[in-house]
């Protein structure tokens, strides 16, 4: 079971911000920025590693290092609200859980023109992760299932659009309570310097996450890319 802690309503500094954005029909937002993957692509080619799984590992670890990206909004039932009392519940009858770590559930090609889901945990040494990920990736493609993990609330949802170098993307969200971060990346292309630049999109709930937190995520992606290449991740 994935561990989590409850955010206390009395001391939560974003209580007013959360209430403000929860009043909106669509409180989520997307940010896309290019990241330099020149050395990572070279590293993967030389070592024979999957570029997708390598970058997925980097994204997941980087997101986990930002507490706001590990937080999830959960709608409470009337019975739960009654048992807790109004003082223990955030405005709108919700609670926030901050997970200790968040696995990934990414999309894989199912082989029939559609896609399937593949769940991965990433808190382990790199060599162990890549071996496990390749095996689970193979099994997911064979199964071709859209079945979700019972603890899907804790997960990140990454995906890849390797055919195009896009400028922006909007991820589908179920409703205003949907707070699972989505991450996507596209085709890398050379810029005027000869560097390989790849679009990376983060889609998050604005009630929990601001631009400052997304900027820290992008900084960590750059830092963890360098660490993976140097053998320190």
């Amino acid at each position: 079971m994935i561990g989590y802690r409850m955010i206390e309503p009395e001391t939560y500094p974003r209580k007013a911000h959360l209430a403000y954005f929860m009043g909106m029909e669509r409180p989520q937002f997307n940010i896309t920025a290019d990241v330099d993957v020149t050395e990572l692509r070279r590293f993967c080619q030389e070592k024979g590693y999957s570029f997708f799984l390598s970058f997925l590992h980097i994204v997941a670890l980087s997101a986990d290092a930002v507490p706001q990206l590990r937080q999830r909004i959960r709608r409470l039932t009337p019975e739960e609200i009654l048992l807790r009392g109004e003082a223990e519940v955030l405005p709108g009858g919700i609670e926030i859980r901050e997970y200790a770590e968040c696995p990934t559930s990414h999309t894989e090609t199912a082989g029939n023109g559609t896609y399937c889901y593949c769940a991965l945990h990433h808190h382990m040494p790199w060599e162990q992760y890549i071996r496990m990920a390749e095996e689970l990736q193979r099994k997911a493609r064979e199964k071709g299932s859209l079945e979700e993990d019972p603890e899907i609330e804790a997960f990140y949802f990454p995906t890849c659009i390797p055919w195009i170098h896009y400028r922006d993307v909007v991820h589908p969200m179920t409703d205003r309570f949907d707070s699972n971060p989505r991450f996507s990346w596209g085709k890398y292309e050379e810029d005027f310097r000869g560097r390989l630049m790849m679009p990376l999109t983060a889609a998050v709930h604005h009630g929990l996450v601001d631009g400052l937190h997304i900027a820290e995520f992008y900084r960590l992606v750059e830092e963890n890319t360098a660490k993976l290449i140097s053998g320190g991740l």
Side-chain angles (χ1 to χ4, degrees), residues 170-230:
V170 177
H171 287 269
M173 301 286 189
T174 55
D175 54 32
R176 61 193 176 94
F177 298 92
D178 190 336
S179 53
N180 292 74
R182 275 83 163 162
F183 302 104
S184 64
W185 50 97
K187 180 181 179 181
Y188 47 72
E189 292 183 346
E190 283 192 6
D191 66 4
F192 67 96
R193 305 164 299 170
R195 305 294 294 178
L196 293 177
M197 306 301 292
M198 185 176 73
L200 170 62
T201 301
V204 297
H205 196 292
H206 213 340
L208 304 174
V209 183
D210 287 334
L212 180 66
H213 308 124
I214 296 300
E216 176 63 6
F217 163 72
Y218 278 97
R219 186 194 69 78
L220 287 163
V221 167
E222 181 179 349
E223 180 180 293
N224 285 326
T225 297
K227 284 183 178 180
L228 177 59
I229 293 169
S230 66

Side-chain angles (χ1 to χ4, degrees), residues 144-157:
S145 173
L146 290 178
E147 181 181 355
E148 294 183 330
D149 189 279
E151 295 184 278
I152 197 64
E153 180 185 77
F155 281 61
Y156 301 124
F157 300 152

Side-chain angles (χ1 to χ4, degrees), residues 150-170:
E151 295 184 278
I152 197 64
E153 180 185 77
F155 281 61
Y156 301 124
F157 300 152
T159 189
C160 181
I161 312 169
W163 310 279
I164 54 173
H165 185 100
Y166 63 81
R167 297 301 176 192
D168 193 18
V169 64
V170 177

